[in-house]
Amino acid sequence: MFKNYIQAAVVALLTFGSSMLFASEGLDEAVNAIFASSTGWFVSLIFAPIPGTSFPWIVLWLVVGASVFTLYFGFVQFRSIGHSISLVKGDYSNPNDAGEVSHFQALTTALSGTVGLGNIAGVAVAIGIGGPGAIFWMILAGLLGMASKFTECTLAVKYRNEYKDGSVSGGPMYYITKGFAERGIPGGKILAVLFAVFCILGALGGGNMFQANQAHAQLSGVFGDYPGWVTGLIFAGIVFAVIVGGIKSIANVTEKVVPFMAILYVGTAIIILAMNADKIGWAFGQIFEGAFTGLGVAGGMVGALIQGFKRAAFSNEAGVGSAAIAHSAVQTKEPITEGFVSLLEPFIDTVVICTMTALVIIITGQLMFDAQQGVYLLGDSGHIQTIGDTSGVALTSAAFGSAVGWFPYLLVIAVVLFAFSTMLSWSYYGLKAWTYLFGEGKNTELAFKLIFCVFVVIGAAANLGPVIDFSDAAIFAMAVVNIIGLYFLMPIVKRELTSYNARLKSGEIKKTK
Amino acid sequence: MTATYVVGVDGSDASHRALAFAKRQASLVGDDCSLLLVCVVEWSPYKFQTHEENARRTKQKQEEIKIATERVIEPLLQELKAEGIKAEGKVVHGKAAAVLNNAAVEANAEQIFVARSADHGLSARVFGSVTAQLVMSANVPVTVVS
């Protein structure tokens, strides 16, 4: 029976792929037109600027949320970072829990979904539009976002579903439903359903089509221009083999290779920075000066701020609720411990990796700077002019390539692997939202997985601006629902934090090694 | 005086030889000597995992313990019971050398019996085999049976 499903799915994918071959342009236009007309209002609503400014309200929503959590929990991200590292090292792990999911594993699995294109392409986009000053705001957003992540991941563990067979499901849809019910607040179920719907859309869009699209852009840059559906079909085939066929080895290899890619990426950045150690002070000077003056970028300080905050949100997903699904699998009797561990995620993703990328771009002199005027030179599009007229991944690649000649080739592999890893993560997040809405079950899950595979092909095959816009909007819409939930449930986290800190101080909770 | 010997077992012929030797040593001590059979499921909290693996880890752990108990521990315990040797057994996840040593310390054991490790390759050359690690770090005497 199951084999029949797989055969049917393969046939469907192949049929779809061949139809793309013959009618891809027509299909692109049709999909664009449908999305633009039916979802344009939603995209406009999510990214609408605050009246009288060019500042999108959704970015302010995320930053205000992160600031509220930072203040409410007394700057927990700065006071507890040492304890977070101890927890990841396993200093407080119960030896009887050996064989269960450790804090380290929950953190690295969640990171595999967040470290990716945002760290490579997103930073380059932020600098290209907002200048080096955008990085200041990106780092600030990352630091504040640590408190959002702390809040959502604590709740995700506290209110997860643990089934009789030992498997677990958690995330915003569960903590919003259970937490609201526990506090006697109405509307939890509606918010949870809304979150699940946005999560599915975000998974198919930003977590799938966008990744496939960018991976194809990278591959076609190396192998020459070729139809996107080819990349799409290959990717869909591999994703299909992993999520439907259950071929764990591919996922396992990906999950093992990606962390080493990330280490190699950061390691190379450190070497480049060491080679240009004398310019690091100047680069930070540009970042600080640009943060408050803009150094000539479009929109000045506000332009830099918007880009920094926006790209940080895309990169570390703090407040979005996606990572809460990943962190919920950890084995612990104290939900707050996973909150402590999860706050390292935005730090690693944004404060460390994104800053590395930014420093390399600035130090290698990719951005054209008018030293006499003290401003960056802008092109017709309003973006900063770069050597070789590059942007996005190409800008990062050029920056690394100028110092380490072979690195662009490695970057292509890294981008493709990061994209694939992010797709696998989001297929899981989307699936959890799907099963929340439609129930657990083989057929229900298979339906989502097949839809997910088809969207890989669509994403890689076409330059679907409105579709990508809608996907971005869906991911941010997740944050709208999630942060509303967090506001109502943060007293529960506060109670957990106070109790845990008291027991830690009294020695009731102590190191096990 | 009572004595406890910890024996590392994994169902292999080599571990059977280690157990046979431990039995002979136990019989020399007499009725006051008991064996603690420890089967280690190799596990590292620092291994990278997928989302699916994390979600099903508890179930997977239970299955691993069940299989190891049914296939390794229980047949050996029945065999020892028939021979009149007091014995207990347990399945533990972790790094073999650390798990065996911890089991010995917790049980206040006199000695650990293990088979010579079959580890080979670069990892064993660089980091040492499980047996070598146990011999170098154990808090109690270790007998390695070839």
Side-chain angles (χ1 to χ4, degrees):
Chain A
M1 181 74 175
F2 191 62
K3 277 184 181 169
N4 291 342
Y5 276 122
I6 293 176
Q7 283 168 357
V10 172
V11 170
L13 279 173
L14 289 173
T15 309
F16 181 81
S18 52
S19 68
M20 295 287 285
L21 174 65
F22 297 111
S24 60
E25 279 187 23
L27 187 71
D28 283 9
E29 285 166 13
V31 173
N32 270 337
I34 292 166
F35 263 83
S37 61
S38 59
T39 65
W41 64 272
F42 177 73
V43 177
S44 303
L45 179 69
I46 293 292
F47 293 116
I50 296 166
T53 70
S54 57
F55 201 101
W57 73 271
I58 187 71
V59 175
L60 190 70
W61 173 257
L62 283 164
V63 175
V64 167
S67 305
V68 167
F69 302 133
T70 298
L71 293 171
Y72 186 71
F73 295 113
F75 296 90
V76 65
Q77 64 267 56
F78 303 116
R79 291 191 295 116
S80 302
I81 200 156
H83 186 61
S84 303
I85 294 167
S86 282
L87 286 165
V88 174
K89 281 165 59 191
D91 291 349
Y92 291 86
S93 299
N94 183 346
N96 294 326
D97 288 341
E100 300 279 2
V101 179
S102 66
H103 285 302
F104 176 87
Q105 287 167 329
L107 177 66
T108 49
T109 308
L111 273 171
S112 74
T114 50
V115 173
L117 287 170
N119 305 77
I120 300 170
V123 175
V125 169
I127 291 188
I129 302 172
I135 302 309
F136 175 87
W137 301 110
M138 181 180 259
I139 293 170
L140 184 67
L143 291 171
L144 293 172
M146 291 164 76
S148 305
K149 203 76 107 170
F150 165 80
T151 316
E152 62 191 10
C153 291
T154 301
L155 290 167
V157 177
K158 186 171 174 64
Y159 293 109
R160 65 185 171 187
N161 269 11
E162 293 182 52
Y163 302 104
K164 282 180 184 172
D165 67 357
S167 61
V168 294
S169 284
M173 49 279 186
Y174 292 99
Y175 61 67
I176 290 173
T177 311
K178 291 181 180 179
F180 273 47
E182 190 180 297
R183 296 202 68 202
I185 303 166
K189 189 78 183 170
I190 296 168
L191 275 181
V193 167
L194 209 54
F195 177 87
V197 170
F198 290 141
C199 185
I200 291 166
L201 296 173
L204 295 175
N208 179 344
M209 288 195 294
F210 177 72
Q211 306 295 330
N213 197 280
Q214 291 298 298
H216 172 67
Q218 278 299 295
L219 290 170
S220 58
V222 174
F223 299 113
D225 204 19
Y226 69 94
W229 62 264
V230 175
T231 306
L233 270 186
I234 294 169
F235 259 63
I238 301 171
V239 171
F240 182 88
V242 173
I243 65 173
V244 181
I247 299 176
K248 287 181 181 173
S249 54
I250 299 172
N252 286 338
V253 167
T254 307
E255 296 305 315
K256 283 171 183 59
V257 171
V258 162
F260 291 110
M261 278 289 178
I263 291 166
L264 197 60
Y265 182 80
V266 173
T268 309
I270 290 171
I271 292 168
I272 295 172
L273 295 179
M275 286 159 56
N276 297 278
D278 57 320
K279 292 182 187 165
I280 292 177
W282 168 79
F284 273 111
Q286 293 285 47
I287 289 172
F288 281 109
E289 196 181 341
F292 300 102
T293 67
L295 288 173
V297 302
M301 174 188 155
V302 176
L305 187 144
I306 291 172
Q307 283 306 316
F309 280 168
K310 199 172 172 183
R311 291 296 140 191
F314 263 119
S315 181
N316 64 42
E317 296 169 16
V320 169
S322 52
I325 300 172
H327 282 278
S328 65
V330 73
Q331 173 64 31
T332 178
K333 290 185 180 68
E334 301 284 351
I336 200 87
T337 56
E338 196 52 26
F340 287 129
V341 168
S342 68
L343 60 79
L344 292 172
E345 207 185 315
F347 185 81
I348 296 168
D349 179 277
T350 308
V351 180
V352 177
I353 304 181
C354 286
T355 306
M356 291 284 181
T357 305
L359 286 173
V360 170
I361 292 172
I362 297 166
I363 282 173
T364 54
Q366 297 299 311
L367 308 173
M368 291 192 179
F369 187 66
D370 183 342
Q372 284 189 333
Q373 300 288 325
V375 293
Y376 285 94
L377 301 173
L378 302 186
D380 295 338
S381 61
H383 296 192
I384 294 174
Q385 289 182 9
T386 57
I387 295 169
D389 199 24
T390 53
S391 64
V393 178
L395 174 56
T396 309
S397 182
F400 276 79
S402 68
V404 183
W406 49 264
F407 195 81
Y409 300 103
L410 183 79
L411 197 65
V412 173
I413 300 169
V415 165
V416 171
L417 277 171
F418 282 147
F420 185 65
S421 166
T422 305
M423 284 161 81
L424 290 185
S425 290
W426 274 94
S427 76
Y428 181 77
Y429 302 153
L431 180 66
K432 287 290 149 186
W434 183 271
T435 53
Y436 176 79
L437 291 177
F438 303 112
E440 311 259 348
K442 248 183 181 173
N443 290 341
T444 320
E445 291 181 10
L446 186 65
F448 174 78
K449 288 172 178 175
L450 290 177
I451 292 169
F452 194 85
C453 289
V454 170
F455 273 80
V456 176
V457 185
I458 297 176
N463 183 18
L464 304 171
V467 180
I468 301 296
D469 287 346
F470 177 73
S471 311
D472 288 349
I475 287 180
F476 277 109
M478 286 166 68
V480 175
V481 179
N482 186 42
I483 290 178
I484 291 173
L486 296 182
Y487 283 145
F488 282 107
L489 300 177
M490 63 185 187
I492 295 169
V493 180
K494 181 89 164 186
R495 206 164 57 221
E496 294 272 335
L497 179 64
T498 309
S499 161
Y500 182 84
N501 280 343
R503 283 176 291 141
L504 195 64
K505 204 174 173 183
S506 70
E508 188 182 332
I509 296 170
K510 52 190 169 197
K511 287 187 178 182
T512 53
K513 64 180 181 186
Chain B
M1 182 190 151
T2 58
T4 303
Y5 290 162
V6 168
V7 187
V9 292
D10 61 4
S12 67
D13 289 343
S15 78
H16 284 139
R17 287 198 296 278
L19 178 60
F21 187 73
K23 279 195 295 190
R24 284 203 294 279
Q25 298 303 307
S27 63
L28 294 176
V29 176
D31 289 346
D32 289 334
C33 187
S34 65
L35 300 181
L36 174 59
L37 310 186
V38 180
C39 179
V40 182
V41 179
E42 273 292 330
W43 169 257
S44 168
Y46 307 111
K47 177 176 167 266
F48 295 112
Q49 299 233 113
T50 65
H51 293 276
E52 291 283 349
E53 284 175 329
N54 281 353
R56 300 185 183 282
R57 186 57 219 161
T58 301
K59 183 184 177 188
Q60 185 68 29
K61 182 187 173 184
Q62 288 164 355
E63 283 173 5
E64 287 164 358
I65 290 174
K66 186 169 176 273
I67 290 169
T69 304
E70 286 175 358
R71 295 186 187 171
V72 180
I73 297 289
E74 280 178 359
L76 293 176
L77 287 179
Q78 282 174 9
E79 194 181 297
L80 292 167
K81 192 179 175 187
E83 293 174 31
I85 299 171
K86 282 190 284 187
E88 287 178 24
K90 63 178 178 181
V91 179
V92 185
H93 283 73
K95 289 282 172 196
V99 167
L100 289 169
N101 186 49
N102 289 345
V105 171
E106 279 171 23
N108 204 19
E110 298 289 320
Q111 212 177 139
I112 301 171
F113 291 82
V114 287
R116 192 172 66 188
S117 172
D119 294 347
H120 57 274
L122 186 65
S123 168
R125 285 174 194 276
V126 174
F127 300 109
S129 66
V130 169
T131 315
Q133 286 173 24
L134 178 63
V135 168
M136 290 172 75
S137 62
N139 295 69
V140 297
V142 179
T143 298
V144 181
V145 179
S146 66

